[in-house]
Amino acid sequence: MSPTYDVIVIGLGGMGSAAAHHLSARGARVLGLERFGPVHDRGSSHGGSRITRQSYFEDPAYVPLLLRAYELYEEVERATGREITTLCGGVMIGRPDSRTVSGSLRSAEQWDLAHEVLDARELRRRFPTLNPQDDEVALFEAKAGLVRPENMVAAHLQLAGRQGADLHFDEPVVRWEPYRDGVRVHTAVNTYTAGRLVICPGAWAPRLLTGLGVPFTIERQVMYWFQPSSPDGVEPFRPENHPVYIWEDAEGVQVYGFPAIDGPELGAKVAFFRKGEITTPETIDRTVHDHEVAAMAEHMSRCIPELPGTFLKAATCMYSNTPDEHFVISRHPAHPESVTVACGFSGHGFKFVPVVGEIVADLALTGTTAHPIGLFDPRRLAATPA
């Protein structure tokens, strides 16, 4: 019996929705399976905004993928009419030897990316809401900004559906297994076969990829929205006046934040980068507690004194971390002919969504990709051979 589908995609969040789009655009018969509804808020691909940047402090090896992602942002916007990006500029702030600043500068110089290095005085002059210490500096990147996660996921699902992909929501996967020359996937309601399988599990990676040999940890994160107390209201915090930022203090604690992108009633978003609690998708505490709000407000009062004026709301999400905080994008080492995985995005993956979808389609359909993904081989992390 021939498989029903060419490719099954498990997970239709950021990466899975992009994979479904790119696979179906190449003519593959695609089944997408998602445990929740479309564009949900139970995983990682939500919260209204995610930072995008090219001067990448994590590693210069990411930069070529970011350059391609920026091209694909525009393609998706043209194809769907949805707003995906706002390039309002961004500042990476800290002491000169901090990872945030020195790593960003390393990538910018290695890839000849347009940037400026601002001392504390110039940073305050250009962006009066920011209050850096005298020994802090910033790398400013005009091409940095934000992407809207819900719009991105919705756009990729729209394109996948338009191209003939069969998308099933509220249908959680129970297990998958090799089957004949392909794979078989069991859900709560049915069983499907395909020649290839793509697994984009987000926080469900520890359950669905037990044989990968990667020690994933799932981390609870909290996003906060505050209404600034500026005498000029929200005006200084609008995207035309205010950059996105990642700010590392002397102890290495990083916060990141955004301009007020949706008007004064929704405020400006800020969060700690990491510093979360280990959890699971089943046990995550979705309640944001008063002491958490107080800690966020106290930290931001030193950086942007007018920001924590009035607390508006908060929401939780999950990071799916690898030990070295680099991604996993690869053919499955134990099933290289039939299974492709994209996971472990460690809190900094969403800006890569469209190019990861392209890479996954390459790997699933041809077994290789022209994109540089050597950094993301899961075998670098395996405690034992897969």
Side-chain angles (χ1 to χ4, degrees):
M1 181 178 68
S2 298
T4 307
Y5 296 95
D6 297 320
V7 187
I8 295 174
V9 178
I10 298 178
L12 293 174
M15 306 305 175
S17 63
H21 158 51
H22 283 281
L23 287 161
S24 57
R26 300 183 195 187
R29 295 171 297 160
V30 175
L31 170 64
L33 297 170
E34 168 57 52
R35 66 174 46 246
F36 300 113
V39 198
H40 63 82
D41 64 356
R42 310 309 291 172
S44 304
S45 300
H46 64 281
S49 56
R50 291 287 188 275
I51 287 177
T52 189
R53 50 195 165 91
Q54 295 181 352
S55 301
Y56 216 62
F57 67 76
E58 287 84 350
D59 196 298
Y62 287 88
V63 174
L65 303 183
L66 288 161
L67 298 177
R68 177 58 177 156
Y70 271 58
E71 294 174 347
L72 291 171
Y73 296 156
E74 295 183 3
E75 288 187 15
V76 172
E77 287 181 324
R78 287 194 300 268
T80 65
R82 296 178 185 269
E83 179 187 356
I84 302 297
T85 60
T86 300
L87 300 184
C88 55
V91 285
M92 308 298 113
I93 307 173
R95 290 177 171 167
D97 61 350
S98 66
R99 183 190 184 202
T100 302
V101 174
S102 65
S104 298
L105 186 60
R106 177 187 172 203
S107 284
E109 291 177 342
Q110 181 170 325
W111 290 98
D112 196 25
L113 302 174
H115 68 283
E116 300 175 67
V117 177
L118 312 178
D119 62 18
R121 183 176 180 179
E122 177 61 15
L123 183 59
R124 294 188 202 105
R125 187 196 69 79
R126 194 172 303 190
F127 303 111
T129 59
L130 306 182
N131 184 40
Q133 300 296 307
D134 288 342
D135 61 350
E136 291 181 321
V137 299
L139 182 143
F140 172 74
E141 180 185 335
K143 287 189 175 180
L146 61 97
V147 295
R148 293 183 176 268
E150 289 89 349
N151 285 6
M152 180 86 82
V153 174
H156 281 133
L157 293 177
Q158 176 185 341
L159 292 172
R162 183 190 299 172
Q163 292 150 184
D166 193 3
L167 307 178
H168 292 197
F169 298 98
D170 299 304
E171 188 171 346
V173 170
V174 177
R175 70 182 190 278
W176 61 271
E177 61 200 5
Y179 179 72
R180 297 181 179 174
D181 293 331
V183 294
R184 183 161 56 185
V185 175
H186 304 270
T187 75
V189 299
N190 213 333
T191 298
Y192 306 95
T193 60
R196 299 289 184 269
L197 176 64
V198 167
I199 306 177
C200 301
W204 286 262
R207 177 191 295 178
L208 288 172
L209 292 171
T210 55
L212 192 60
V214 176
F216 298 104
T217 57
I218 308 306
E219 189 177 352
R220 173 185 177 269
Q221 295 292 327
V222 182
M223 304 170 283
Y224 306 83
W225 285 260
F226 291 93
Q227 187 175 59
S229 60
S230 167
D232 298 319
V234 78
E235 193 63 30
F237 289 85
R238 293 189 184 278
E240 56 268 29
N241 300 319
H242 203 281
V244 298
Y245 53 90
I246 300 177
W247 201 321
E248 181 177 344
D249 68 14
E251 285 72 47
V253 175
Q254 292 170 303
V255 294
Y256 67 94
F258 301 82
I261 60 175
D262 293 312
E265 65 279 2
L266 295 182
K269 175 183 162 186
V270 66
F272 287 109
F273 188 40
R274 310 197 189 286
K275 201 181 175 183
E277 302 170 348
I278 301 302
T279 188
T280 70
E282 294 76 26
T283 62
I284 183 173
D285 182 1
R286 297 283 183 182
T287 300
V288 177
H289 303 278
D290 290 345
H291 68 88
E292 295 178 301
V293 176
M296 185 82 262
E298 192 276 333
H299 190 102
M300 292 311 301
S301 68
R302 302 193 298 269
C303 303
I304 306 179
E306 295 171 343
L307 178 57
T310 302
F311 170 67
L312 298 175
K313 66 174 182 175
T316 59
C317 70
M318 291 179 283
Y319 286 2
S320 305
N321 296 326
T322 64
D324 62 6
E325 298 173 3
H326 293 308
F327 308 159
V328 172
I329 310 173
S330 174
R331 284 287 189 102
H332 195 301
H335 310 285
E337 298 302 317
S338 56
V339 182
T340 300
V341 296
C343 53
F345 290 97
S346 302
H348 62 107
F350 196 88
K351 63 186 71 65
F352 296 89
V353 156
V355 69
V356 170
E358 188 171 66
I359 293 166
V360 166
D362 290 342
L363 295 176
L365 297 178
T366 72
T368 188
T369 181
H371 290 293
I373 62 169
L375 182 61
F376 311 136
D377 191 322
R379 290 170 293 189
R380 75 188 192 276
L381 299 170
T384 57

Coordinates of all heavy atoms in Angstrom, one line a residue, residues 292-333:
E292 N 7.0 38.1 40.8 CA 7.6 38.1 39.5 C 7.5 39.5 38.8 O 8.4 40.0 38.2 CB 7.0 37.0 38.6 CG 7.3 35.6 39.1 CD 6.7 34.6 38.2 OE1 5.4 34.6 38.1 OE2 7.4 33.7 37.7
V293 N 6.3 40.0 38.9 CA 6.0 41.4 38.3 C 6.9 42.4 39.0 O 7.5 43.3 38.3 CB 4.5 41.7 38.4 CG1 4.3 43.2 37.9 CG2 3.7 40.8 37.7
A294 N 7.0 42.3 40.3 CA 7.8 43.3 41.1 C 9.3 43.2 40.7 O 9.9 44.2 40.6 CB 7.6 43.0 42.6
A295 N 9.8 42.0 40.5 CA 11.2 41.8 40.1 C 11.5 42.4 38.8 O 12.5 43.1 38.5 CB 11.6 40.3 40.2
M296 N 10.5 42.2 37.8 CA 10.7 42.8 36.5 C 10.7 44.3 36.5 O 11.5 45.0 35.9 CB 9.6 42.2 35.6 CG 9.7 42.6 34.1 SD 10.9 41.6 33.2 CE 12.4 42.6 33.2
A297 N 9.7 44.8 37.3 CA 9.6 46.3 37.3 C 10.8 46.9 38.0 O 11.3 48.0 37.6 CB 8.3 46.6 38.1
E298 N 11.3 46.3 39.1 CA 12.5 46.8 39.8 C 13.7 46.8 38.9 O 14.4 47.8 38.8 CB 12.7 46.0 41.0 CG 13.7 46.6 42.0 CD 15.2 46.3 41.6 OE1 15.4 45.2 41.0 OE2 16.1 47.1 41.9
H299 N 13.9 45.7 38.1 CA 15.0 45.7 37.2 C 14.9 46.7 36.1 O 15.9 47.4 35.8 CB 15.1 44.3 36.6 CG 16.4 44.0 35.8 ND1 17.4 43.3 36.3 CD2 16.8 44.5 34.5 CE1 18.4 43.3 35.4 NE2 18.0 44.0 34.3
M300 N 13.8 46.9 35.5 CA 13.6 47.8 34.4 C 13.6 49.3 34.9 O 14.0 50.2 34.1 CB 12.3 47.6 33.7 CG 12.3 46.3 32.9 SD 13.7 46.0 31.9 CE 13.6 47.4 30.8
S301 N 13.3 49.5 36.1 CA 13.4 50.9 36.6 C 14.8 51.5 36.6 O 14.9 52.7 36.5 CB 12.8 51.0 38.1 OG 13.6 50.3 39.0
R302 N 15.8 50.6 36.6 CA 17.2 51.1 36.5 C 17.5 51.3 35.1 O 18.4 52.2 34.8 CB 18.1 50.0 37.2 CG 17.8 49.7 38.6 CD 18.9 48.9 39.3 NE 19.2 47.6 38.6 CZ 18.6 46.5 39.0 NH1 17.7 46.5 40.0 NH2 18.9 45.4 38.4
C303 N 17.0 50.6 34.2 CA 17.4 50.7 32.8 C 16.5 51.7 32.0 O 17.1 52.5 31.3 CB 17.2 49.3 32.1 SG 18.1 48.0 32.8
I304 N 15.2 51.7 32.2 CA 14.3 52.6 31.5 C 13.3 53.1 32.6 O 12.2 52.5 32.8 CB 13.5 51.8 30.4 CG1 14.5 51.1 29.4 CG2 12.7 52.8 29.6 CD1 13.9 50.4 28.3
P305 N 13.7 54.1 33.3 CA 12.9 54.5 34.5 C 11.4 54.8 34.2 O 10.6 54.5 35.1 CB 13.6 55.8 34.9 CG 15.0 55.7 34.4 CD 14.9 54.9 33.1
E306 N 11.1 55.2 33.0 CA 9.6 55.5 32.8 C 8.8 54.3 32.3 O 7.6 54.4 32.2 CB 9.5 56.6 31.7 CG 10.1 57.9 32.2 CD 10.2 58.9 31.0 OE1 10.1 58.5 29.9 OE2 10.3 60.1 31.3
L307 N 9.5 53.1 32.1 CA 8.8 52.0 31.5 C 7.8 51.3 32.5 O 6.6 51.2 32.2 CB 9.7 51.0 31.0 CG 9.1 49.7 30.4 CD1 8.1 50.1 29.3 CD2 10.1 48.7 29.8
P308 N 8.3 50.9 33.7 CA 7.4 50.2 34.6 C 6.4 51.1 35.3 O 6.3 51.1 36.5 CB 8.3 49.4 35.5 CG 9.5 50.3 35.6 CD 9.6 51.0 34.3
G309 N 5.7 51.9 34.5 CA 4.7 52.9 35.1 C 3.5 52.1 35.7 O 3.2 52.2 36.9
T310 N 2.8 51.4 34.8 CA 1.6 50.7 35.2 C 1.7 49.3 34.6 O 1.8 49.1 33.4 CB 0.3 51.4 34.7 OG1 0.3 52.7 35.2 CG2 -0.9 50.6 35.2
F311 N 1.6 48.3 35.4 CA 1.6 46.9 34.9 C 0.3 46.6 34.3 O -0.8 46.9 34.9 CB 1.9 45.9 36.1 CG 1.6 44.5 35.7 CD1 2.5 43.9 34.8 CD2 0.6 43.8 36.3 CE1 2.3 42.5 34.4 CE2 0.4 42.4 35.9 CZ 1.2 41.8 35.0
L312 N 0.3 46.1 33.1 CA -0.9 45.8 32.3 C -1.3 44.3 32.3 O -2.4 43.9 32.6 CB -0.8 46.3 30.9 CG -0.6 47.8 30.7 CD1 -0.3 48.2 29.3 CD2 -1.8 48.6 31.3
K313 N -0.3 43.5 31.9 CA -0.6 42.1 31.8 C 0.7 41.3 31.7 O 1.8 41.9 31.6 CB -1.5 41.8 30.6 CG -0.8 42.0 29.3 CD -1.7 41.6 28.1 CE -0.9 41.8 26.7 NZ -1.7 41.3 25.6
A314 N 0.6 40.0 31.8 CA 1.7 39.1 31.6 C 1.3 37.8 31.0 O 0.1 37.4 31.0 CB 2.5 38.8 32.9
A315 N 2.2 37.0 30.4 CA 1.9 35.7 29.8 C 3.1 34.9 29.9 O 4.2 35.3 29.9 CB 1.4 35.9 28.3
T316 N 2.9 33.6 29.9 CA 4.0 32.6 29.9 C 4.2 32.0 28.6 O 3.3 31.9 27.7 CB 3.7 31.5 31.0 OG1 2.5 30.8 30.6 CG2 3.5 32.0 32.4
C317 N 5.4 31.5 28.4 CA 5.7 30.7 27.2 C 6.9 29.8 27.6 O 7.3 29.8 28.8 CB 6.1 31.6 26.0 SG 7.7 32.4 26.2
M318 N 7.3 29.0 26.7 CA 8.4 28.0 27.0 C 9.5 28.1 26.1 O 9.4 28.2 24.9 CB 7.7 26.6 27.0 CG 6.7 26.3 28.1 SD 6.0 24.7 28.1 CE 4.8 24.9 26.7
Y319 N 10.7 28.0 26.7 CA 12.0 27.8 25.9 C 12.3 26.3 25.9 O 12.2 25.6 26.9 CB 13.2 28.5 26.5 CG 13.2 30.0 26.4 CD1 12.2 30.7 25.8 CD2 14.3 30.7 27.0 CE1 12.3 32.1 25.7 CE2 14.4 32.1 26.9 CZ 13.4 32.8 26.3 OH 13.4 34.1 26.2
S320 N 12.7 25.8 24.7 CA 13.1 24.4 24.6 C 14.6 24.4 24.4 O 15.1 24.7 23.3 CB 12.4 23.7 23.4 OG 11.0 23.8 23.5
N321 N 15.4 24.2 25.5 CA 16.8 24.4 25.5 C 17.6 23.2 25.2 O 17.3 22.1 25.7 CB 17.2 25.0 26.9 CG 16.6 26.3 27.2 OD1 16.4 27.2 26.3 ND2 16.3 26.6 28.5
T322 N 18.7 23.4 24.5 CA 19.8 22.4 24.4 C 20.9 22.8 25.4 O 21.0 24.0 25.8 CB 20.3 22.3 23.0 OG1 20.9 23.6 22.6 CG2 19.2 22.0 22.0
P323 N 21.8 21.9 25.7 CA 22.9 22.3 26.7 C 23.7 23.5 26.2 O 24.2 24.3 27.0 CB 23.7 21.0 26.8 CG 22.7 19.9 26.6 CD 21.8 20.5 25.5
D324 N 24.0 23.6 24.9 CA 24.8 24.7 24.4 C 24.0 25.8 23.8 O 24.6 26.8 23.3 CB 25.9 24.2 23.4 CG 25.2 23.6 22.2 OD1 24.0 23.6 22.0 OD2 26.0 23.0 21.3
E325 N 22.7 25.7 23.9 CA 21.8 26.8 23.4 C 21.8 27.0 21.9 O 21.2 28.0 21.4 CB 22.0 28.1 24.2 CG 21.8 28.0 25.7 CD 22.2 29.2 26.5 OE1 22.6 30.2 25.8 OE2 22.1 29.2 27.7
H326 N 22.4 26.1 21.2 CA 22.3 26.1 19.7 C 21.2 25.1 19.3 O 20.8 24.2 20.0 CB 23.6 25.7 19.1 CG 24.7 26.7 19.3 ND1 24.6 28.0 19.1 CD2 26.0 26.5 19.8 CE1 25.7 28.7 19.4 NE2 26.5 27.8 19.8
F327 N 20.7 25.3 18.1 CA 19.5 24.6 17.6 C 19.9 23.1 17.3 O 21.0 22.7 17.2 CB 19.0 25.2 16.3 CG 18.7 26.7 16.4 CD1 18.7 27.5 15.2 CD2 18.5 27.4 17.6 CE1 18.4 28.8 15.3 CE2 18.3 28.7 17.7 CZ 18.2 29.5 16.5
V328 N 18.8 22.4 17.0 CA 19.0 21.0 16.4 C 18.1 21.1 15.1 O 16.9 21.2 15.1 CB 18.4 19.9 17.3 CG1 18.4 18.6 16.6 CG2 19.3 19.8 18.6
I329 N 18.8 21.0 14.0 CA 18.2 20.9 12.7 C 19.0 19.9 11.9 O 20.1 20.1 11.5 CB 18.2 22.3 11.9 CG1 17.7 23.4 12.8 CG2 17.4 22.2 10.6 CD1 17.8 24.8 12.2
S330 N 18.3 18.8 11.6 CA 19.1 17.7 11.0 C 18.1 16.6 10.5 O 17.0 16.5 11.0 CB 20.1 17.1 12.0 OG 20.7 16.0 11.6
R331 N 18.7 15.7 9.7 CA 18.1 14.4 9.6 C 18.3 13.6 10.9 O 19.3 13.8 11.5 CB 18.7 13.6 8.4 CG 18.2 14.0 7.0 CD 16.8 13.6 6.7 NE 16.4 13.8 5.4 CZ 16.4 12.8 4.4 NH1 16.8 11.6 4.7 NH2 16.0 13.1 3.2
H332 N 17.3 12.8 11.3 CA 17.4 12.1 12.5 C 18.6 11.1 12.4 O 18.6 10.3 11.4 CB 16.1 11.4 12.8 CG 16.0 10.8 14.2 ND1 16.9 9.9 14.8 CD2 15.1 11.1 15.2 CE1 16.5 9.6 16.0 NE2 15.4 10.3 16.3
P333 N 19.6 11.1 13.3 CA 20.7 10.2 13.1 C 20.3 8.7 13.0 O 21.0 7.9 12.3 CB 21.6 10.4 14.3 CG 21.3 11.8 14.7 CD 19.8 12.0 14.4

